[in-house]
Amino acid sequence: MTMREDMAYILLDREKIARRVSEMGALLSRDYAGKRPLLICVLKGSVVFFADLIRAMDIQVEMEFMTASSYGSATVSSGEVKVVSSLDDKIRGRNVILVEDIIDSGRTIAFVKADMLQKGVESLKVVSLLDKPSRRESDVKPDYCGFEVPDAFVVGYGLDYDQKYRNFPDIGVLKPEIYKKSC
Ligand code: IMP
Ligand code: MG
């Protein structure tokens, strides 16, 4: 089976994603001109978006990586946020841009934001490729958002189901039997 055959449908194809990422890069370049922002990739889901976004920016940037997640291998947020690597020394006094793949319950980003704001950042904004506002539990919104998506579990372009489909180039919704198989 190819990965495409596991998808019920494609929600966002690679061309549409590329156009939007390029617009977002241009917007960030304009808003952060002369500021050399520190972009932080929230692993692992954001890695594909992050790689494209930084190359869509034509200003000087720096990058860091961190791990934070409220999901286990399920398709529903576990409610517990784990931050594995913290960047205390590196973010002080910086214009930080947190780069997320998707904001769902909002717990992950709310937790990371609150933590970073205590560490003396100069400014802090959140960029998320996808926003699923229907499932929000924390009062957070991305400052820059690629697409608003419906309440469906999506995979591809970095997003996974049980660590799979991250390398699928489009964003799609899996067939229901794919979840059933692994239960
Ligand atoms: P939150 O804490 O509920 O906002 O969850 C955020 C994280 O859960 C994201 O960074 C993703 O890694 C993961 N996640 C949320 N929704 C989806 C989805 O539809 N597909 C894949 N991963 C998701
Ligand atoms: Mg994530």
Side-chain angles (χ1 to χ4, degrees), residues 96-142:
V96 173
I97 305 176
L98 273 172
V99 182
E100 260 288 20
D101 49 358
I102 184 165
I103 301 183
D104 183 26
S105 72
R107 284 203 205 98
T108 307
I109 212 68
F111 182 90
V112 174
K113 259 184 100 171
D115 187 55
M116 287 193 167
L117 284 170
Q118 290 179 351
K119 307 269 163 65
V121 290
E122 172 70 22
S123 69
L124 181 60
K125 299 271 181 191
V126 175
V127 179
S128 188
L129 177 67
L130 307 177
D131 187 14
K132 216 192 266 180
S134 52
R135 289 175 34 99
R136 199 59 38 83
E137 286 168 27
S138 295
D139 183 26
V140 283
K141 268 198 279 211

CSV table of all heavy atoms in Angstrom, one decimal, residues 96-142:
chain,number,residue,atom,x,y,z
A,96,VAL,N,11.5,36.0,19.7
A,96,VAL,CA,11.3,34.5,19.4
A,96,VAL,C,10.1,34.3,18.6
A,96,VAL,O,9.0,34.9,18.9
A,96,VAL,CB,11.2,33.8,20.8
A,96,VAL,CG1,10.8,32.3,20.6
A,96,VAL,CG2,12.5,33.9,21.6
A,97,ILE,N,10.2,33.4,17.6
A,97,ILE,CA,9.0,33.0,16.8
A,97,ILE,C,8.9,31.5,17.0
A,97,ILE,O,9.8,30.7,16.6
A,97,ILE,CB,9.2,33.3,15.3
A,97,ILE,CG1,9.5,34.8,15.1
A,97,ILE,CG2,8.0,32.9,14.6
A,97,ILE,CD1,9.7,35.2,13.7
A,98,LEU,N,7.9,31.0,17.7
A,98,LEU,CA,7.6,29.6,17.9
A,98,LEU,C,6.9,29.0,16.6
A,98,LEU,O,5.9,29.6,16.2
A,98,LEU,CB,6.7,29.4,19.1
A,98,LEU,CG,7.3,29.3,20.4
A,98,LEU,CD1,6.2,29.3,21.5
A,98,LEU,CD2,8.2,28.0,20.6
A,99,VAL,N,7.5,28.0,16.0
A,99,VAL,CA,6.9,27.5,14.8
A,99,VAL,C,6.3,26.1,15.1
A,99,VAL,O,6.9,25.2,15.5
A,99,VAL,CB,8.0,27.3,13.7
A,99,VAL,CG1,7.4,26.8,12.4
A,99,VAL,CG2,8.6,28.7,13.5
A,100,GLU,N,4.9,26.1,15.0
A,100,GLU,CA,4.2,24.9,15.2
A,100,GLU,C,3.6,24.3,14.0
A,100,GLU,O,3.3,25.0,13.0
A,100,GLU,CB,3.0,25.2,16.2
A,100,GLU,CG,3.3,24.8,17.7
A,100,GLU,CD,3.3,23.3,17.9
A,100,GLU,OE1,3.4,22.5,17.0
A,100,GLU,OE2,3.2,22.9,19.1
A,101,ASP,N,3.3,23.0,14.0
A,101,ASP,CA,2.6,22.4,12.8
A,101,ASP,C,1.1,22.7,12.9
A,101,ASP,O,0.4,23.1,12.0
A,101,ASP,CB,2.9,20.9,12.8
A,101,ASP,CG,2.7,20.2,14.1
A,101,ASP,OD1,2.4,20.8,15.1
A,101,ASP,OD2,2.8,18.9,14.2
A,102,ILE,N,0.5,22.4,14.1
A,102,ILE,CA,-0.9,22.6,14.3
A,102,ILE,C,-1.3,22.9,15.7
A,102,ILE,O,-0.6,22.5,16.7
A,102,ILE,CB,-1.6,21.3,13.9
A,102,ILE,CG1,-3.2,21.4,13.9
A,102,ILE,CG2,-1.2,20.1,14.7
A,102,ILE,CD1,-3.9,20.3,13.2
A,103,ILE,N,-2.2,23.8,15.9
A,103,ILE,CA,-2.7,24.1,17.2
A,103,ILE,C,-4.1,23.5,17.3
A,103,ILE,O,-5.0,23.8,16.6
A,103,ILE,CB,-2.8,25.6,17.5
A,103,ILE,CG1,-1.3,26.2,17.4
A,103,ILE,CG2,-3.3,25.9,18.9
A,103,ILE,CD1,-1.2,27.6,17.7
A,104,ASP,N,-4.2,22.5,18.3
A,104,ASP,CA,-5.4,21.7,18.4
A,104,ASP,C,-6.1,22.1,19.7
A,104,ASP,O,-6.8,23.1,19.8
A,104,ASP,CB,-5.0,20.2,18.4
A,104,ASP,CG,-6.1,19.3,18.4
A,104,ASP,OD1,-7.3,19.6,18.0
A,104,ASP,OD2,-5.9,18.1,18.9
A,105,SER,N,-5.9,21.4,20.8
A,105,SER,CA,-6.5,21.8,22.1
A,105,SER,C,-5.8,23.2,22.5
A,105,SER,O,-6.4,23.9,23.2
A,105,SER,CB,-6.2,20.8,23.2
A,105,SER,OG,-4.8,20.8,23.5
A,106,GLY,N,-4.6,23.4,22.1
A,106,GLY,CA,-3.9,24.6,22.4
A,106,GLY,C,-3.0,24.5,23.7
A,106,GLY,O,-2.3,25.4,24.1
A,107,ARG,N,-3.1,23.3,24.3
A,107,ARG,CA,-2.4,23.1,25.6
A,107,ARG,C,-0.9,23.1,25.4
A,107,ARG,O,-0.2,23.8,26.2
A,107,ARG,CB,-2.7,21.7,26.1
A,107,ARG,CG,-4.1,21.6,26.8
A,107,ARG,CD,-4.1,20.5,27.8
A,107,ARG,NE,-5.4,20.0,28.0
A,107,ARG,CZ,-5.9,18.9,27.4
A,107,ARG,NH1,-5.2,18.3,26.5
A,107,ARG,NH2,-7.2,18.6,27.6
A,108,THR,N,-0.4,22.5,24.3
A,108,THR,CA,1.1,22.5,24.1
A,108,THR,C,1.6,24.0,24.0
A,108,THR,O,2.5,24.3,24.7
A,108,THR,CB,1.5,21.7,22.8
A,108,THR,OG1,0.8,20.5,22.9
A,108,THR,CG2,2.9,21.6,22.6
A,109,ILE,N,1.0,24.7,23.1
A,109,ILE,CA,1.5,26.0,22.9
A,109,ILE,C,1.3,27.0,24.1
A,109,ILE,O,2.1,27.8,24.4
A,109,ILE,CB,1.0,26.6,21.5
A,109,ILE,CG1,2.0,27.5,20.9
A,109,ILE,CG2,-0.3,27.2,21.6
A,109,ILE,CD1,3.3,26.8,20.4
A,110,ALA,N,0.2,26.8,24.8
A,110,ALA,CA,-0.1,27.6,25.9
A,110,ALA,C,1.0,27.4,27.0
A,110,ALA,O,1.5,28.3,27.6
A,110,ALA,CB,-1.5,27.3,26.5
A,111,PHE,N,1.3,26.1,27.2
A,111,PHE,CA,2.3,25.8,28.2
A,111,PHE,C,3.7,26.3,27.8
A,111,PHE,O,4.4,27.0,28.6
A,111,PHE,CB,2.4,24.2,28.2
A,111,PHE,CG,3.4,23.7,29.3
A,111,PHE,CD1,2.9,23.5,30.6
A,111,PHE,CD2,4.7,23.4,29.0
A,111,PHE,CE1,3.8,23.0,31.5
A,111,PHE,CE2,5.6,23.0,29.9
A,111,PHE,CZ,5.1,22.8,31.2
A,112,VAL,N,4.1,26.1,26.5
A,112,VAL,CA,5.4,26.6,26.1
A,112,VAL,C,5.5,28.1,26.1
A,112,VAL,O,6.5,28.7,26.6
A,112,VAL,CB,5.7,26.1,24.6
A,112,VAL,CG1,7.0,26.7,24.1
A,112,VAL,CG2,5.8,24.6,24.6
A,113,LYS,N,4.4,28.8,25.7
A,113,LYS,CA,4.4,30.3,25.7
A,113,LYS,C,4.6,30.8,27.2
A,113,LYS,O,5.4,31.7,27.4
A,113,LYS,CB,3.0,30.8,25.2
A,113,LYS,CG,3.1,31.2,23.8
A,113,LYS,CD,1.7,31.8,23.4
A,113,LYS,CE,1.7,33.3,23.4
A,113,LYS,NZ,0.5,33.8,22.8
A,114,ALA,N,3.8,30.2,28.1
A,114,ALA,CA,3.9,30.7,29.5
A,114,ALA,C,5.3,30.5,30.0
A,114,ALA,O,5.8,31.4,30.7
A,114,ALA,CB,2.8,30.0,30.3
A,115,ASP,N,5.9,29.4,29.7
A,115,ASP,CA,7.2,29.1,30.2
A,115,ASP,C,8.2,30.1,29.6
A,115,ASP,O,9.1,30.7,30.3
A,115,ASP,CB,7.5,27.7,29.8
A,115,ASP,CG,8.8,27.2,30.3
A,115,ASP,OD1,9.0,27.2,31.6
A,115,ASP,OD2,9.7,26.8,29.5
A,116,MET,N,8.1,30.4,28.3
A,116,MET,CA,9.1,31.3,27.7
A,116,MET,C,8.9,32.7,28.1
A,116,MET,O,9.9,33.4,28.2
A,116,MET,CB,8.9,31.2,26.2
A,116,MET,CG,9.5,29.9,25.6
A,116,MET,SD,9.7,29.9,23.9
A,116,MET,CE,10.7,28.5,23.7
A,117,LEU,N,7.7,33.1,28.4
A,117,LEU,CA,7.5,34.5,28.8
A,117,LEU,C,8.1,34.8,30.1
A,117,LEU,O,8.5,35.9,30.4
A,117,LEU,CB,6.0,34.8,28.8
A,117,LEU,CG,5.3,35.0,27.4
A,117,LEU,CD1,3.8,35.1,27.5
A,117,LEU,CD2,5.9,36.3,26.7
A,118,GLN,N,8.3,33.8,30.9
A,118,GLN,CA,9.0,34.0,32.2
A,118,GLN,C,10.5,34.1,32.1
A,118,GLN,O,11.2,34.4,33.0
A,118,GLN,CB,8.7,32.8,33.1
A,118,GLN,CG,7.3,32.7,33.6
A,118,GLN,CD,7.1,31.5,34.5
A,118,GLN,OE1,8.0,30.6,34.6
A,118,GLN,NE2,6.0,31.4,35.1
A,119,LYS,N,11.0,33.7,30.9
A,119,LYS,CA,12.5,33.6,30.7
A,119,LYS,C,13.1,34.9,30.1
A,119,LYS,O,14.2,34.8,29.6
A,119,LYS,CB,12.8,32.4,29.8
A,119,LYS,CG,12.2,31.1,30.3
A,119,LYS,CD,13.1,30.4,31.3
A,119,LYS,CE,12.4,29.3,32.1
A,119,LYS,NZ,11.9,28.2,31.4
A,120,GLY,N,12.3,35.9,30.0
A,120,GLY,CA,12.8,37.2,29.6
A,120,GLY,C,13.1,37.4,28.1
A,120,GLY,O,14.0,37.9,27.6
A,121,VAL,N,12.1,36.9,27.3
A,121,VAL,CA,12.2,37.1,25.9
A,121,VAL,C,11.9,38.5,25.5
A,121,VAL,O,11.1,39.2,26.3
A,121,VAL,CB,11.3,36.1,25.1
A,121,VAL,CG1,11.7,34.7,25.1
A,121,VAL,CG2,9.8,36.3,25.5
A,122,GLU,N,12.4,39.0,24.5
A,122,GLU,CA,12.1,40.4,24.1
A,122,GLU,C,10.7,40.5,23.5
A,122,GLU,O,9.9,41.4,23.8
A,122,GLU,CB,13.2,40.9,23.0
A,122,GLU,CG,12.9,42.2,22.3
A,122,GLU,CD,13.1,43.4,23.3
A,122,GLU,OE1,13.8,43.2,24.3
A,122,GLU,OE2,12.5,44.4,23.0
A,123,SER,N,10.4,39.5,22.6
A,123,SER,CA,9.0,39.3,22.1
A,123,SER,C,8.8,37.9,21.8
A,123,SER,O,9.8,37.1,21.6
A,123,SER,CB,8.9,40.2,20.8
A,123,SER,OG,9.6,39.7,19.8
A,124,LEU,N,7.5,37.5,21.7
A,124,LEU,CA,7.2,36.1,21.5
A,124,LEU,C,5.9,36.0,20.6
A,124,LEU,O,4.9,36.5,21.0
A,124,LEU,CB,7.0,35.4,22.8
A,124,LEU,CG,6.6,33.9,22.8
A,124,LEU,CD1,7.7,33.1,22.1
A,124,LEU,CD2,6.4,33.4,24.2
A,125,LYS,N,6.1,35.4,19.5
A,125,LYS,CA,4.9,35.2,18.6
A,125,LYS,C,4.9,33.7,18.2
A,125,LYS,O,5.9,33.0,18.2
A,125,LYS,CB,5.1,36.0,17.3
A,125,LYS,CG,5.1,37.5,17.5
A,125,LYS,CD,3.7,38.1,17.6
A,125,LYS,CE,3.9,39.6,17.8
A,125,LYS,NZ,2.7,40.3,18.1
A,126,VAL,N,3.7,33.3,17.8
A,126,VAL,CA,3.5,31.9,17.4
A,126,VAL,C,3.0,31.8,16.0
A,126,VAL,O,2.1,32.5,15.5
A,126,VAL,CB,2.4,31.2,18.3
A,126,VAL,CG1,2.1,29.8,17.8
A,126,VAL,CG2,2.8,31.2,19.8
A,127,VAL,N,3.7,31.0,15.2
A,127,VAL,CA,3.4,30.7,13.8
A,127,VAL,C,2.9,29.3,13.7
A,127,VAL,O,3.7,28.4,14.1
A,127,VAL,CB,4.6,30.9,12.9
A,127,VAL,CG1,4.2,30.6,11.4
A,127,VAL,CG2,5.2,32.3,13.0
A,128,SER,N,1.7,29.1,13.2
A,128,SER,CA,1.3,27.7,13.1
A,128,SER,C,0.8,27.5,11.6
A,128,SER,O,0.0,28.3,11.1
A,128,SER,CB,0.2,27.4,14.1
A,128,SER,OG,-0.1,26.0,14.0
A,129,LEU,N,1.2,26.4,11.0
A,129,LEU,CA,0.7,26.1,9.7
A,129,LEU,C,-0.8,25.9,9.7
A,129,LEU,O,-1.5,26.4,8.9
A,129,LEU,CB,1.5,24.9,9.1
A,129,LEU,CG,1.0,24.5,7.7
A,129,LEU,CD1,1.4,25.5,6.7
A,129,LEU,CD2,1.5,23.1,7.3
A,130,LEU,N,-1.2,25.1,10.7
A,130,LEU,CA,-2.6,24.7,10.8
A,130,LEU,C,-3.2,25.2,12.1
A,130,LEU,O,-2.5,25.2,13.1
A,130,LEU,CB,-2.8,23.2,10.6
A,130,LEU,CG,-2.2,22.6,9.4
A,130,LEU,CD1,-2.5,21.1,9.4
A,130,LEU,CD2,-2.8,23.2,8.1
A,131,ASP,N,-4.5,25.5,12.1
A,131,ASP,CA,-5.2,25.9,13.3
A,131,ASP,C,-6.6,25.1,13.3
A,131,ASP,O,-7.3,25.1,12.3
A,131,ASP,CB,-5.5,27.4,13.3
A,131,ASP,CG,-6.1,27.9,14.6
A,131,ASP,OD1,-6.0,27.1,15.6
A,131,ASP,OD2,-6.5,29.0,14.6
A,132,LYS,N,-6.8,24.4,14.4
A,132,LYS,CA,-8.1,23.6,14.5
A,132,LYS,C,-8.9,24.2,15.7
A,132,LYS,O,-8.9,23.7,16.8
A,132,LYS,CB,-7.7,22.2,14.8
A,132,LYS,CG,-8.6,21.1,14.2
A,132,LYS,CD,-8.3,19.7,14.8
A,132,LYS,CE,-7.3,18.9,14.1
A,132,LYS,NZ,-7.0,17.6,14.7
A,133,PRO,N,-9.5,25.4,15.4
A,133,PRO,CA,-10.1,26.1,16.6
A,133,PRO,C,-11.2,25.4,17.2
A,133,PRO,O,-11.5,25.7,18.4
A,133,PRO,CB,-10.5,27.5,15.9
A,133,PRO,CG,-10.5,27.2,14.5
A,133,PRO,CD,-9.6,26.1,14.2
A,134,SER,N,-11.9,24.5,16.5
A,134,SER,CA,-13.1,23.8,17.1
A,134,SER,C,-12.7,23.0,18.3
A,134,SER,O,-13.6,22.7,19.1
A,134,SER,CB,-13.7,22.9,16.0
A,134,SER,OG,-12.7,22.1,15.5
A,135,ARG,N,-11.5,22.6,18.5
A,135,ARG,CA,-11.1,21.8,19.6
A,135,ARG,C,-10.3,22.5,20.7
A,135,ARG,O,-9.7,21.9,21.6
A,135,ARG,CB,-10.3,20.6,19.1
A,135,ARG,CG,-11.2,19.6,18.4
A,135,ARG,CD,-10.5,18.5,17.7
A,135,ARG,NE,-9.4,18.0,18.5
A,135,ARG,CZ,-9.4,17.0,19.3
A,135,ARG,NH1,-10.5,16.3,19.4
A,135,ARG,NH2,-8.3,16.6,19.9
A,136,ARG,N,-10.3,23.8,20.7
A,136,ARG,CA,-9.5,24.6,21.6
A,136,ARG,C,-10.0,24.5,23.0
A,136,ARG,O,-11.1,24.6,23.3
A,136,ARG,CB,-9.6,26.1,21.1
A,136,ARG,CG,-8.5,27.0,21.7
A,136,ARG,CD,-7.1,26.6,21.3
A,136,ARG,NE,-6.9,26.1,20.0
A,136,ARG,CZ,-6.7,26.8,18.9
A,136,ARG,NH1,-6.7,28.1,18.9
A,136,ARG,NH2,-6.6,26.2,17.7
A,137,GLU,N,-9.0,24.3,23.9
A,137,GLU,CA,-9.3,24.2,25.4
A,137,GLU,C,-8.5,25.3,26.1
A,137,GLU,O,-8.9,25.7,27.2
A,137,GLU,CB,-8.9,22.9,26.0
A,137,GLU,CG,-9.9,21.8,25.5
A,137,GLU,CD,-9.3,20.4,25.9
A,137,GLU,OE1,-8.5,20.3,26.8
A,137,GLU,OE2,-9.7,19.4,25.1
A,138,SER,N,-7.4,25.8,25.5
A,138,SER,CA,-6.7,26.9,26.2
A,138,SER,C,-7.0,28.1,25.3
A,138,SER,O,-7.2,28.0,24.1
A,138,SER,CB,-5.2,26.6,26.1
A,138,SER,OG,-4.9,25.5,26.9
A,139,ASP,N,-6.9,29.3,26.0
A,139,ASP,CA,-7.2,30.5,25.3
A,139,ASP,C,-6.0,31.0,24.5
A,139,ASP,O,-5.3,32.0,24.9
A,139,ASP,CB,-7.6,31.5,26.3
A,139,ASP,CG,-8.0,32.9,25.7
A,139,ASP,OD1,-8.4,32.8,24.5
A,139,ASP,OD2,-8.0,33.9,26.4
A,140,VAL,N,-5.6,30.3,23.4
A,140,VAL,CA,-4.5,30.7,22.6
A,140,VAL,C,-4.8,30.8,21.1
A,140,VAL,O,-5.7,30.0,20.7
A,140,VAL,CB,-3.2,29.8,22.7
A,140,VAL,CG1,-2.5,30.0,24.0
A,140,VAL,CG2,-3.6,28.3,22.6
A,141,LYS,N,-4.2,31.7,20.4
A,141,LYS,CA,-4.4,31.8,19.0
A,141,LYS,C,-3.1,32.0,18.3
A,141,LYS,O,-2.2,32.7,18.9
A,141,LYS,CB,-5.2,33.1,18.7
A,141,LYS,CG,-6.7,32.9,18.7
A,141,LYS,CD,-7.4,34.0,18.0
A,141,LYS,CE,-7.6,35.1,18.9
A,141,LYS,NZ,-8.4,36.1,19.1
A,142,PRO,N,-2.8,31.4,17.2
A,142,PRO,CA,-1.6,31.7,16.5
A,142,PRO,C,-1.5,33.2,16.0
A,142,PRO,O,-2.5,33.7,15.6
A,142,PRO,CB,-1.5,30.8,15.3
A,142,PRO,CG,-3.0,30.4,15.1
A,142,PRO,CD,-3.7,30.5,16.4
